[in-house]
């Protein structure tokens, strides 16, 4: 690979909140060559700049705002990564968000922001090209995310400023608080907003007037135009434009994949109410797009009922219809949309929020929680009031909301009485909206995902439901364990590579692997080969696994909720199916063999780390006694 001369702007903004110091350092070209940007570069910063077992809510944890070499260029559909050690799971955590903030950051002249320390008072970071300062945010502390964004723009007298901020949930250290960006978009999972709250950092605001140059403009612009045309012509993305992620609601419920009543079932009888088709008819008013994206998958909607008048929200996304809707048995689209808006304003992850509320509803149903413990609230499945009131309490850490703000894993450990068996999480991250018993490969994907129960790292469901061929050319059978490890690993490695660019999930299929490689090389001046590009994702995945091993994770934590193993589905397409433990363990063994990880511990071996170019990481783990013999 030769020296890079485009794609990046070449600077990292380093902020020490404790010392109130700000400095600009050159982009580390060694890290960029090996990890590119986004997820990969941020993972390396977390490894290098945090100590083992760092408290995620201490001043010693860092938070990284990471762009990629394709951000703010003509390449369609790029995003931003925000990475930190999660206060919810204790793992490495990267959360992704679209909008325009990431492009504005590069226009201001920065590829990354690395923030450490903790402010003595509420502050926000203001970036205007080379002028960067910490400003007092005391007057904004306690405001919701919408009001905070409005306040910063009013204070600066500039409506074009882009803002990433937290709401009351982040301030009160709810462990699954989000960073809200461009009003209606969120870096949602794992508590990135909680870490900002622990640092008393209310917001990061940016205005830039620069440009991003590429190494080979003719080739790059040609490939970008090809990518845009492919996206425009893609039939699947047409449905995304029309119905957003809500297009998946009816399919998911029909296939017994739509978690309902705290994952007790996989089919919701009122799924049609929450579908993209229903939103198109009576909820959405306009579409929205991220910077330079032709998909326009964002849909702005307004509630129409007298009970929830004029609540404005972008979405409702598929995952939110699942966790705030079906999983809590709430069938009213307006109620789910209003609950979505509350989460956005207060700065809460809708997935974790809906998951933990559904768990609390089941506890109430089973008599583990009662009205005395809920301050008189009848926390029943299907209750719109119970859903919205509990969101208010979580955001304010009030009453039972204080416990629920700790996440479902900690809440179940505190309550006990068997509630741990139906606390639906992996490593503390509440499960998203895809069922496992009708898609066992998804169980392996959740169990091995780097940040806990996450559907964005791999999606074996796509192979299982269609019986599609895996990387080995063999059809993947839906319910058996065979072939699941191979498609899970391939997806994880491929997505890690694309998240280093930082490419949007929705555009990757239409854009294509080879075209992304061409875009990367023509943007940066690199000469990455197809084999180098394929190896990148595996290097990133092992780097993050090493981080998690250093933080105390092993095979023991690569598991699933007891409900998945012990409770067959009672109805639907997959009636009578659970995921037998022995089949799960077989898939996990297969996965570890493919990864080159120790079967007993799940630790990467010395041979594997050296093969992927992480010799220094191998030495570090050996020094900690964490390298398998």
């Amino acid at each position: 690979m030769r020296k890079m001369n485009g794609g990046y702007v070449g600077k990292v903004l380093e902020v020490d909140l404790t010392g109130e110091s700000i400095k600009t350092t050159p982009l580390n070209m060694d890290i960029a060559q090996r990890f590119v940007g986004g997820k990969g570069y941020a993972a390396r910063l977390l490894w290098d700049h945090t100590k083992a077992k760092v408290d995620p809510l201490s001043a010693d944890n860092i938070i990284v705002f990471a762009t990629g070499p394709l951000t703010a260029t003509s390449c369609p559909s790029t995003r931003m990564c925000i990475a930190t050690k999660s206060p919810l799971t204790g793992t490495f955590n990267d959360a992704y968000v679209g909008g325009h903030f990431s492009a504005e950051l590069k226009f201001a002249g920065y590829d990354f922001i690395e923030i450490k320390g903790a402010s003595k008072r509420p502050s926000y970071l203001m970036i205007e090209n080379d002028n960067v300062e910490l400003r007092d945010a005391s007057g904004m502390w306690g405001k919701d995310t919408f009001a905070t964004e409005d306040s910063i723009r009013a204070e600066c007298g500039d409506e074009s400023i882009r803002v990433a901020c937290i709401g009351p949930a982040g301030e009160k250290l709810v462990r699954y608080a989000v960073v809200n960006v461009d009003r209606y978009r969120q870096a949602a999972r794992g508590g990135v907003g909680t870490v900002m709250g622990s640092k008393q950092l209310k917001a990061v605001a940016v205005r830039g007037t620069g440009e991003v140059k590429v190494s080979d403009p003719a080739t790059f612009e040609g490939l970008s135009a090809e990518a845009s045309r492919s996206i425009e012509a893609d039939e699947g993305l047409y449905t995304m434009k029309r119905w957003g992620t809500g297009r998946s609601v009816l399919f998911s419920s029909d296939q017994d994949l739509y978690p309902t009543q705290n994952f007790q079932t996989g089919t919701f009888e009122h799924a049609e109410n929450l579908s993209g088709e229903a939103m198109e008819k009576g909820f959405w008013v306009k579409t929205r797009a991220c910077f330079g994206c032709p998909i326009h998958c964002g849909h702005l909607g307004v509630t129409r009922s007298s009970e929830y008048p004029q609540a404005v929200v972008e979405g409702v996304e598929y995952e939110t219809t699942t966790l705030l809707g079906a999983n809590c048995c709430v069938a009213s689209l307006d109620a789910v949309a209003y609950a979505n808006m509350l989460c956005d304003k207060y700065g809460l992850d809708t997935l974790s929020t809906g998951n933990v509320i559904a768990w609390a509803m089941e506890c109430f149903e089973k008599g583990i929680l009662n009205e005395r413990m809920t301050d008189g609230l009848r926390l029943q499945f299907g209750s719109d009031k119970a859903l919205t009131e509990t969101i208010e309490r979580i955001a304010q850490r009030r009453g039972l909301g204080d416990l629920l703000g700790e996440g479902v894993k900690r809440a179940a450990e505190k309550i006990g009485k068997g509630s741990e068996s139906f606390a639906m999480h992996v490593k503390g991250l509440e499960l998203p909206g895809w069922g496992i018993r009708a898609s066992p490969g998804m169980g392996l994907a959740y169990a091995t995902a780097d940040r806990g129960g996450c559907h964005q790292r791999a999606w074996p469901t796509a192979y299982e439901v269609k019986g599609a061929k895996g990387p080995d050319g063999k059809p993947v059978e839906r319910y058996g364990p065979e072939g699941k490890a191979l498609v899970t690993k391939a997806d994880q490695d491929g997505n890690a590579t694309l998240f280093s660019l930082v490419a949007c999930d929705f555009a990757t299929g239409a854009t294509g692997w080879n075209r992304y490689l061409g875009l990367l090389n023509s943007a940066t001046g690199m000469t990455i080969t197809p084999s180098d590009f394929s190896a990148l994702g595996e290097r990133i995945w092992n780097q993050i696994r090493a981080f998690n091993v250093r933080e105390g994770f092993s095979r023991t934590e690569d598991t699933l909720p007891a409900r998945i193993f012990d409770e067959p589905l009672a109805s639907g397409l997959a009636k009578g199916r659970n995921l037998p433990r022995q089949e799960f363990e077989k898939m996990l063994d297969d996965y570890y063999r493919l990864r080159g990880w120790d079967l007993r511990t799940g630790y990467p071996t010395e041979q594997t780390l050296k093969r992927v170019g992480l010799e220094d990481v191998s030495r570090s783990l050996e020094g900690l006694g964490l390298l398998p013999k």
Side-chain angles (χ1 to χ4, degrees):
M1 293 184 288
R2 57 192 173 90
K3 184 177 179 181
M4 292 169 279
N5 56 9
Y8 303 95
V9 289
K11 292 188 296 183
V12 177
L13 188 63
E14 296 185 1
V15 180
D16 181 352
L17 294 171
T18 301
E20 297 186 344
S21 66
I22 299 169
K23 65 178 181 179
T24 300
T25 59
L27 182 74
N28 186 313
M29 289 301 181
D30 176 63
I31 298 178
Q33 293 273 7
R34 297 168 65 210
F35 295 94
V36 179
K39 180 186 183 87
Y41 197 108
R44 188 64 195 204
L45 290 182
L46 264 291
W47 173 264
D48 288 339
H49 296 172
T50 60
K51 296 178 180 178
K53 305 295 179 67
V54 65
D55 181 348
L57 297 179
S58 73
D60 293 329
N61 193 16
I62 67 170
I63 186 166
V64 179
F65 287 64
T67 70
L70 304 184
T71 305
T73 68
S74 59
C75 174
S77 308
T78 60
R79 301 193 294 172
M80 179 173 68
C81 164
I82 303 180
T84 191
K85 182 180 177 183
S86 169
L88 184 65
T89 65
T91 64
F92 169 85
N93 188 79
D94 51 330
Y96 294 84
V97 63
H100 295 255
F101 184 98
S102 58
E104 201 73 23
L105 181 62
K106 285 188 74 171
F107 292 148
Y110 307 98
D111 294 297
F112 302 91
I113 309 172
E114 181 181 342
I115 302 168
K116 66 179 181 179
S119 181
K120 299 179 180 67
R121 64 185 184 280
S123 302
Y124 78 93
L125 183 67
M126 183 67 227
I127 305 168
E128 296 179 277
N129 298 321
D130 292 334
N131 299 315
V132 185
E133 62 178 331
L134 286 167
R135 296 182 178 178
D136 182 38
S138 298
M140 301 173 196
W141 204 250
K143 288 188 175 182
D144 66 46
T145 60
F146 298 171
T148 298
E149 185 170 330
D150 291 342
S151 294
I152 289 175
R153 288 177 169 172
E155 182 178 293
C156 297
D158 188 348
E159 287 298 310
S160 64
I161 284 174
R162 300 296 175 177
V163 179
C165 65
I166 63 171
E171 297 171 7
K172 294 182 181 296
L173 306 185
V174 174
R175 288 185 183 268
Y176 42 91
V178 309
V179 177
N180 220 65
V181 174
D182 292 346
R183 200 173 192 93
Y184 294 117
R185 294 186 177 267
Q186 294 77 34
R189 306 239 65 196
V192 289
T194 318
V195 173
M196 280 183 62
S198 73
K199 296 180 178 302
Q200 292 205 84
L201 182 65
K202 181 66 173 173
V204 179
V206 61
R207 180 75 174 95
T209 57
E211 61 178 340
V212 179
K213 297 179 179 180
V214 296
S215 177
D216 180 352
T219 300
F220 186 85
E221 294 303 325
L223 289 170
S224 292
E226 286 181 16
S228 293
R229 287 194 294 270
S230 294
I231 289 170
E232 291 282 6
D234 188 274
E235 291 184 10
L237 290 179
Y238 165 76
T239 64
M240 182 69 75
K241 286 182 181 182
R242 182 170 178 183
W243 296 307
T245 56
R247 66 181 180 167
S248 297
V249 169
L250 296 180
F251 157 79
S252 179
S253 186
D254 288 345
Q255 291 293 322
D256 232 5
L257 296 165
Y258 200 49
T260 300
Q261 200 170 2
N262 195 31
F263 286 77
Q264 291 184 59
T265 68
T267 298
F268 187 41
E269 63 178 331
H270 303 295
E272 187 173 350
N273 296 1
L274 305 177
S275 67
E277 292 85 342
M279 290 185 239
E280 180 184 47
K281 290 176 183 176
F283 180 61
W284 289 328
V285 294
K286 64 181 294 186
T287 60
R288 287 163 52 90
C290 299
F291 176 86
C293 183
I295 301 176
H296 289 74
C297 72
H299 294 73
L300 204 66
V302 181
T303 54
R304 313 292 172 88
S305 69
S306 59
E307 190 173 0
Y308 305 106
Q310 299 295 303
V312 181
V313 68
E314 185 173 324
V316 178
E317 301 294 343
Y318 166 82
E319 298 289 339
T320 300
T321 71
T322 313
L323 278 305
L324 290 179
N327 208 40
C328 296
C329 299
V330 172
S332 163
L333 175 58
D334 275 357
V336 172
Y338 182 75
N340 189 160
M341 186 204 67
L342 289 178
C343 288
D344 291 353
K345 289 182 69 174
Y346 291 135
L348 288 167
D349 175 9
T350 58
L351 281 69
S352 288
T353 301
N355 187 303
V356 75
I357 291 175
W359 169 84
M361 286 176 168
E362 185 167 352
C363 286
F364 191 87
E365 181 183 73
K366 287 179 161 58
I368 297 171
L369 293 176
N370 54 47
E371 288 186 60
R372 177 182 57 79
M373 301 167 76
T374 64
D375 294 322
L377 182 65
R378 294 190 61 77
L379 202 56
Q380 295 175 311
F381 281 114
S383 169
D384 301 0
K385 178 182 178 182
L387 175 66
T388 56
E389 176 59 29
T390 305
I391 290 171
E392 300 266 5
R393 295 182 185 188
I394 290 171
Q396 299 298 332
R397 286 272 197 173
R398 178 162 49 90
L400 181 65
D402 186 43
L403 176 64
L404 300 184
E406 289 293 294
V408 76
K409 178 179 184 289
R410 289 177 175 84
E413 289 171 348
K414 178 70 178 294
I415 293 294
K417 299 182 180 179
S419 66
E420 301 94 331
S421 68
F422 54 86
M424 305 304 290
H425 69 89
V426 170
K427 299 180 180 70
L429 184 64
E430 290 79 11
L431 293 187
W434 295 95
I436 299 170
R437 287 163 288 188
S439 177
M442 204 67 222
L444 179 66
Y446 287 158
T448 58
D450 50 8
R451 66 178 183 181
C454 172
H455 67 292
Q456 291 183 307
R457 302 309 188 245
W459 202 54
T461 298
Y463 296 90
E464 292 174 317
V465 172
K466 298 177 181 178
K469 293 179 180 179
D472 59 357
K474 298 178 181 178
V476 177
E477 193 273 323
R478 180 160 186 173
Y479 293 111
E482 300 298 334
K484 306 303 170 68
L486 185 60
V487 297
T488 297
K489 178 185 180 296
D491 267 13
Q492 289 172 343
D493 289 347
N495 284 331
T497 295
L498 295 171
F499 290 171
S500 71
L501 295 179
V502 185
C504 173
D505 306 41
F506 301 146
T508 54
T511 300
W513 188 261
N514 291 332
R515 195 175 285 131
Y516 274 121
L517 175 57
L519 285 163
L520 175 61
N521 282 334
S522 59
T524 63
M526 293 179 179
T527 52
I528 295 181
T529 66
S531 60
D532 290 335
F533 200 43
S534 296
L536 171 62
E538 191 173 13
R539 181 180 306 121
I540 293 169
W541 202 260
N542 277 276
Q543 175 65 76
I544 294 171
R545 183 67 173 193
F547 180 94
N548 288 344
V549 166
R550 190 182 74 175
E551 301 311 299
F553 290 88
S554 67
R555 178 170 182 142
T556 302
E557 287 75 36
D558 289 350
T559 190
L560 296 168
R563 167 159 283 163
I564 301 303
F565 297 128
D566 301 335
E567 297 180 28
L569 289 171
S571 60
L573 182 73
K575 180 179 179 180
R577 292 195 176 274
N578 61 335
L579 175 54
R581 290 178 188 269
Q582 64 272 22
E583 291 190 9
F584 172 77
E585 295 298 334
K586 181 189 183 309
M587 289 193 294
L588 194 58
D589 282 346
D590 291 346
Y591 175 85
Y592 285 169
R593 289 190 187 97
L594 288 172
R595 282 271 175 224
W597 294 352
D598 180 68
L599 289 183
R600 182 178 61 85
T601 62
Y603 296 172
T605 64
E606 179 181 14
Q607 180 182 12
T608 296
L609 291 172
K610 288 183 176 180
R611 176 175 58 79
V612 299
L614 296 175
E615 293 88 347
D616 58 332
V617 172
S618 176
R619 290 192 295 271
S620 294
L621 290 181
E622 184 176 26
L624 294 169
L626 297 173
L627 199 66
K629 300 299 183 184

